[in-house]
């Protein structure tokens, strides 16, 4: 079964059909620019365009950068604040004519790594981090997701962690891999002491360069790169939609 997965980010809105059995893309990935300002209506129009470009009809899963409860956005990280209290599932469904399931973007990536990637068949607590414009966090215990843990906003010396250790900070401050790894390690040590994970998975686009900075990280927990790299958000959103669709189908 192929389901459309969409990853909504602060700079781009990406989507592809996903083979739910294998976790592989079943189509080319399409990337459209996130509108500025990224209001609900403006983003919904881009999502509609993406669905139309895919010539797709059926259930859709979307990862969104914020806390999502029952389809409603309660925070909005790196997108317009007018998303807060917006029912994203209803908005996207009405705009496209397709049933939507919306999940926090880091949670989507975490689910993908559990089902198809680096956390598959791993018991215990797994911490998945997506390092990009911000820091997304997902915690999975024995394969079960604890949703909406926005620990990218955890305070380190009165400053959000993602303002210290995200991939965007490395680029903006032109940090060396060693300098950036020191900031990332500080964050990882705090997360270790909070959750005592059995495995840490580093995702986001910067995970492709893991060989350049993993050697600088000193943690007690094993750290591995995401197997699905930056595709995890799309794949996990589609997988989550498949679970919801299966539950609602008689």
């Amino acid at each position: 079964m192929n389901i459309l997965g969409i990853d909504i980010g602060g700079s781009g809105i990406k989507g592809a059909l996903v083979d739910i059995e294998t976790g592989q893309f079943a189509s080319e990935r399409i990337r459209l620019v996130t509108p500025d300002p990224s209001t609900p209506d403006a983003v919904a129009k881009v999502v509609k365009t993406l669905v139309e470009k895919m010539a797709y009809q059926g259930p859709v899963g979307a990862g969104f950068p914020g806390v999502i409860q029952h389809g409603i956005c309660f925070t909005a990280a790196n997108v317009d604040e007018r998303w807060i209290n917006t029912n994203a599932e209803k908005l996207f469904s009405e705009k496209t004519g397709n049933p939507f399931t919306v999940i926090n973007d880091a949670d989507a990536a975490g689910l993908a790594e559990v089902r198809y990637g680096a956390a598959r068949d791993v018991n215990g607590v797994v911490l998945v981090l997506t390092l990009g414009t911000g820091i997304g966090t997902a915690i999975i215990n024995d394969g079960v997701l604890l949703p909406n843990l926005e620990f990218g906003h955890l305070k380190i010396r009165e400053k959000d962690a993602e303002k210290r250790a995200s991939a965007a900070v490395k680029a903006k401050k032109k940090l060396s891999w060693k300098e950036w790894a020191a900031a990332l390690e500080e964050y990882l040590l705090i997360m270790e002491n909070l959750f005592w994970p059995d495995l840490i998975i580093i995702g986001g686009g910067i995970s492709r360069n893991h060989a350049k900075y993993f050697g600088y990280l000193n943690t007690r927990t094993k750290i591995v790169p995401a197997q699905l790299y930056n595709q995890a958000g799309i794949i996990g959103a589609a997988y989550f939609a498949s679970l919801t669709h299966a539950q609602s189908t008689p």
Side-chain angles (χ1 to χ4, degrees), residues 14 19 36 46-47 51 71-72 77 80 88 96 103 114 117 144 151 157 164 192 196 201 203 206:
K14 299 153 287 187
D19 182 333
D36 185 13
V46 175
V47 168
V51 173
I72 299 173
D80 195 279
T96 67
I103 182 175
V114 168
V144 178
F151 277 95
R157 300 190 305 282
R164 295 185 180 277
E192 277 192 312
W196 290 81
I201 298 174
I206 206 165

Side-chain angles (χ1 to χ4, degrees), residues 13-168:
I13 297 174
K14 299 153 287 187
L17 293 181
V18 177
D19 182 333
I20 297 304
E21 294 301 318
T22 66
Q24 300 293 314
F25 281 2
S27 72
E28 292 295 320
R29 189 191 77 152
I30 293 177
R31 183 186 188 278
L32 302 176
V33 175
T34 301
D36 185 13
S38 51
T39 63
D41 187 62
V43 170
K45 288 178 180 178
V46 175
V47 168
K48 181 176 186 290
T49 298
L50 193 154
V51 173
E52 290 174 345
K53 284 180 175 291
M54 298 298 300
Y56 176 83
Q57 289 188 330
V60 183
F64 185 87
V67 168
I68 303 293
Q69 287 186 318
H70 309 294
I72 299 173
C73 306
F74 287 98
T75 67
N78 303 310
V79 290
D80 195 279
E81 290 186 355
R82 279 169 281 189
W83 275 102
I84 296 173
N85 294 321
T86 295
N87 190 322
E89 289 184 349
K90 181 179 179 181
L91 175 64
F92 292 147
S93 297
E94 291 178 348
K95 183 68 72 170
T96 67
N98 291 274
F100 264 73
T101 304
V102 180
I103 182 175
N104 173 269
D105 54 356
D107 287 345
L111 284 177
E113 290 295 330
V114 168
R115 176 65 176 84
Y116 309 105
R120 189 172 186 176
D121 299 324
V122 174
N123 294 323
V125 178
V126 178
L127 169 63
V128 180
L129 303 177
T130 56
L131 306 179
T133 305
I135 296 178
T137 58
I139 298 265
I140 299 99
N141 183 36
D142 289 338
V144 178
L145 173 72
L146 181 60
N148 292 315
L149 297 182
E150 294 280 78
F151 277 95
H153 301 293
L154 181 149
K155 299 296 182 182
I156 299 178
R157 300 190 305 282
E158 299 183 359
K159 192 174 184 179
D160 276 13
E162 66 180 25
K163 301 300 183 183
R164 295 185 180 277
S166 69

Side-chain angles (χ1 to χ4, degrees), residues 193-210:
N193 289 331
L194 284 173
F195 296 105
W196 290 81
D198 297 283
L199 178 68
I200 296 174
I201 298 174
I202 303 292
I206 206 165
S207 60
R208 292 185 181 276
N209 295 311
H210 63 276

